[in-house]
Amino acid sequence: MDLLWTDFLNSVWRDWRGTGKPPEDRLGQRDWQTRFLNKWELQAPVPAGPDELKALVRLRTFLQQLTEKLAAGEQIDQADVDGLNAFLKQTPVIRTIIKGENGKGWRLKSVAAQQGWAQVMDAVVTSFIQTAIEGNPERIKICENKDCLWVFYDNTRNRSKRYCDDKTCGNLIKVRKFRERQKTE
Ligand SMILES: [Zn+2]
């Protein structure tokens, strides 16, 4: 399952088939930025400026570290929370009351007071916090295909998902293991 923050982290593309192609960082690419903003209904000028890009990379590196920790079954600690708070402090928020889900009732919505990439980063951090702090950090996974390393949210009932996609990575590893077994037999 794709979430705003997993999509953000997966801006580093790796060739999951293991052809040895070097990873490609798409974060700075116009196409990637446009697709990402459209998908999550966010607005920012494309392409991001050099300083904005630097800040985006810094955020991605930080969240990637936390993700690796959580995927390894470790807990978030005070230093991690301090790091997240530091990002949150950069963007003041405006709160508004909006219609609830399916038009029922009302709910409080916080939106970043700043526009553009600052707002995008705030949305990424908020999305991460919803999963890792308020939600189910044990569902944060990194694809076990070492050539892929895609970050995903495991929404299966018993949290048994090991690969980002059973049809691609899951199948590839299954076939590879099968061939290895055949060789040894
Ligand atoms: Zn994968």
Side-chain angles (χ1 to χ4, degrees):
M1 193 174 115
D2 255 2
L3 299 170
L4 173 52
W5 69 270
T6 59
D7 205 19
F8 178 71
L9 290 189
N10 290 330
S11 51
V12 178
W13 179 87
R14 292 180 185 82
D15 191 355
W16 58 274
R17 285 158 298 211
T19 55
K21 246 195 206 167
E24 187 184 305
D25 188 354
R26 294 182 169 169
L27 190 57
Q29 294 176 2
R30 237 171 217 278
D31 286 356
W32 186 89
Q33 290 173 9
T34 307
R35 190 199 57 83
F36 179 77
L37 294 172
N38 287 343
K39 181 170 175 186
W40 300 102
E41 294 173 354
L42 294 163
Q43 272 157 12
V46 173
D51 287 345
E52 288 163 331
L53 194 58
K54 250 186 241 166
L56 286 163
V57 171
R58 214 180 310 128
L59 174 61
R60 188 180 61 186
T61 307
F62 175 60
L63 292 183
Q64 181 72 31
Q65 283 165 354
L66 295 190
T67 298
E68 283 168 15
K69 217 172 150 173
L70 291 169
E74 289 171 48
Q75 306 276 316
I76 290 246
D77 60 27
Q78 186 62 52
D80 301 329
V81 170
D82 289 347
L84 287 167
N85 275 334
F87 273 103
L88 290 177
K89 253 185 223 158
Q90 287 172 19
T91 27
V93 293
I94 297 170
R95 284 175 292 174
T96 21
I97 296 166
I98 56 162
K99 269 258 185 309
E101 309 268 315
N102 310 320
K104 273 185 226 148
W106 305 93
R107 70 181 184 93
L108 189 65
K109 192 183 171 166
S110 301
V111 279
Q114 283 160 286
Q115 297 293 307
W117 288 101
Q119 191 177 10
V120 172
M121 282 191 274
D122 185 71
V124 171
V125 174
T126 306
S127 159
F128 179 80
I129 290 170
Q130 279 164 352
T131 309
I133 309 273
E134 300 178 334
N136 301 297
E138 67 283 358
R139 290 187 177 275
I140 295 176
K141 303 256 179 96
I142 294 175
C143 181
E144 287 187 24
N145 175 8
K146 294 290 169 240
D147 292 313
C148 173
L149 302 177
W150 196 260
V151 176
F152 64 96
Y153 184 82
D154 183 359
N155 58 353
T156 58
R157 234 171 125 184
N158 50 359
R159 286 191 275 127
S160 57
K161 213 167 162 202
R162 296 172 57 199
Y163 303 101
C164 64
D165 190 331
D166 288 335
K167 284 188 213 82
T168 56
C169 288
N171 197 45
L172 181 90
I173 301 296
K174 209 167 82 186
V175 170
R176 214 179 263 169
K177 279 189 183 151
F178 177 73
R179 289 203 186 126
E180 273 164 26
R181 259 202 314 274
Q182 271 191 327
K183 249 189 240 163
T184 49
E185 268 163 27

